[in-house]
Amino acid sequence: MANSVTHVIVAIVILDLFRHYVFGKKRFPRYLLVIGGIAGLAPDIDVPLTWLYHFFTSSTTDLHGLFTHSLFFVFSFLGIALLFQYYKNIKWAKIFYVISFGWFMHLILDCLYGGYKTFFWPLHYASNFCPQWGIQTHAADIDAIILVLWLIHEEVHERIKDYI
Ligand SMILES: [Zn+2]
């Protein structure tokens, strides 16, 4: 599984690139980046949920990766977004598109970082197709590289704007 910080950074960076190059700042207000970043971390809510669960029951079950790491949530949020769009509530449609995207990025990242359990919950198909290339050991380096590249991008982008 990727670091918590990676989940937040990657979701925000990718959304910000879309904001820069696809949607434009008007159509993609900055608070959506914050929502996307939080959604990028949200599936790991099962970690504190496990603590609570252990606190209130004598169970030792680890909830991490049991159900929140499922495409089920990605498609649920996408469905909610489409409903809002259908009813012309574009603001909330965008919010749920971004939540769905952030959630999806979390699943992709965890998969790229190795271990995966339940892509298809509540169905019981095996999710053992994730690559096992051991980049988990470089998690901190990857965070640093992404962050530096993004900072450079931001700087270059601002400078280009200055010329126009
Ligand atoms: Zn996770």
Side-chain angles (χ1 to χ4, degrees):
M1 312 250 165
N3 288 346
S4 304
V5 178
T6 318
H7 285 304
V8 179
I9 295 178
V10 171
I12 289 182
V13 167
I14 294 179
L15 283 172
D16 197 35
L17 291 177
F18 273 111
R19 182 169 183 253
H20 273 294
Y21 298 109
V22 183
F23 299 114
K25 294 190 175 175
K26 265 219 170 88
R27 287 169 60 204
F28 200 99
R30 207 172 52 202
Y31 68 85
L32 288 177
L33 292 181
V34 179
I35 292 172
I38 294 170
L41 186 59
D44 280 345
I45 188 82
D46 56 6
V47 175
L49 280 181
T50 302
W51 300 336
L52 277 179
Y53 188 60
H54 288 183
F55 186 75
F56 288 111
T57 69
S58 52
S59 158
T60 52
T61 313
D62 186 3
L63 303 179
H64 187 51
L66 272 192
F67 57 93
T68 53
H69 289 65
S70 166
L71 288 171
F72 173 81
F73 291 94
V74 175
F75 287 117
S76 302
F77 292 127
L78 187 62
I80 296 171
L82 289 168
L83 267 180
F84 274 120
Q85 181 149 22
Y86 180 77
Y87 288 107
K88 303 268 185 282
N89 191 332
I90 301 305
K91 180 186 169 192
W92 279 95
K94 285 179 184 171
I95 288 174
F96 276 94
Y97 280 128
V98 164
I99 293 176
S100 175
F101 176 81
W103 206 285
F104 183 60
M105 283 311 302
H106 187 108
L107 307 194
I108 298 290
L109 272 176
D110 271 359
C111 186
L112 287 177
Y113 274 68
Y116 221 85
K117 299 161 195 164
T118 52
F119 250 108
F120 304 107
W121 180 88
L123 305 172
H124 288 286
Y125 293 117
S127 308
N128 49 5
F129 42 77
C130 292
Q132 301 295 324
W133 44 21
I135 60 172
Q136 174 79 53
T137 45
H138 304 290
D141 313 314
I142 294 170
D143 283 2
I145 292 168
I146 296 169
L147 201 53
V148 168
L149 287 178
W150 187 42
L151 286 174
I152 293 172
H153 167 264
E154 289 296 293
E155 183 61 26
V156 171
H157 196 85
E158 284 304 308
R159 297 221 167 193
I160 290 171
K161 259 195 332 203
D162 286 346
Y163 286 111
I164 310 173

